[in-house]
Amino acid sequence: MKYNRINVLGLGNILFGDEGFGVEAIRAFEKDGDYPETVQFVDGGTQGLYLLDYIESSDAVMVFDALIPLDFESRVYVYHKDELPAFIHRKMSSHQMGLSELLGIAQLHGRMPERFVLIGIPPRILDLGSGLSGEARELLDEAVAEGRTILQEWLQE
């Protein structure tokens, strides 16, 4: 199957430490590659429902976010469409509830993308102006590598 539109979204607030992981991940992802026009990188920040079209109008969506619960092991987590865990419905940040709502609305509209993947980490530091923690920086390259592997699979389908 050829995907006409693939959106790679980074969610989070770069002003609050590891909360900016998703945005930093897509910046690194986009910077270090040459991708076809069908792939769009979106700094979703904390836009919530304003991102609905990026999900509903796509054949495949990849989301990077620091929404894994704090008590989880510090590593990269990858969840595909049918594996999304219940905890994404818990509000841990200003944008996360928006992700849950976006997915729910897209499902209600019957417009969920064919492929959907969430790549995330548990945030360790959420202090104002702190930038990514050392742990999050170490996981950034691994998360981006996971994303690239998945994107290449999508592009070859």
Side-chain angles (χ1 to χ4, degrees):
M1 166 180 236
K2 176 153 172 50
Y3 298 120
N4 295 317
R5 187 167 181 193
I6 298 171
N7 284 327
V8 182
L9 281 71
L11 304 181
N13 188 334
I14 60 171
L15 298 178
F16 290 99
D18 293 347
E19 172 65 16
F21 175 81
V23 173
E24 295 293 343
I26 67 148
R27 287 177 179 172
F29 196 146
E30 182 177 26
K31 182 180 83 171
D32 292 334
D34 185 26
Y35 304 100
E37 290 180 13
T38 56
V39 179
Q40 181 177 6
F41 291 87
V42 181
D43 176 345
T46 59
Q47 296 180 53
L49 289 174
Y50 293 109
L51 298 171
L52 183 60
D53 186 56
Y54 290 106
I55 292 177
E56 290 190 339
S57 67
S58 300
D59 300 308
V61 173
M62 181 179 302
V63 174
F64 287 88
D65 199 359
L67 58 65
I68 307 301
L70 296 173
D71 56 347
F72 276 46
E73 178 186 347
S74 185
R75 67 177 182 85
V76 174
Y77 292 82
V78 179
Y79 296 101
H80 294 269
K81 186 175 177 179
D82 298 328
E83 305 167 335
L84 291 173
F87 65 70
I88 72 160
H89 300 289
R90 285 194 326 207
K91 186 168 181 155
M92 290 176 50
S93 65
S94 60
H95 67 275
Q96 187 194 351
M97 194 52 130
L99 175 60
S100 175
E101 291 168 352
L102 288 170
L103 298 177
I105 292 169
Q107 284 181 324
L108 283 172
H109 289 167
R111 296 175 68 189
M112 269 296 282
E114 179 71 25
R115 297 274 187 247
F116 182 91
V117 68
L118 168 65
I119 301 174
I121 65 162
R124 296 298 177 212
I125 296 175
L126 299 170
D127 299 336
L128 178 62
S130 61
L132 292 183
S133 67
E135 280 184 64
R137 284 238 171 261
E138 288 177 18
L139 295 174
L140 186 70
D141 289 341
E142 181 184 340
V144 170
E146 289 277 356
R148 281 196 184 106
T149 299
I150 293 166
L151 180 60
Q152 287 306 317
E153 289 170 5
W154 290 351
L155 290 172
Q156 292 172 6
E157 286 182 6

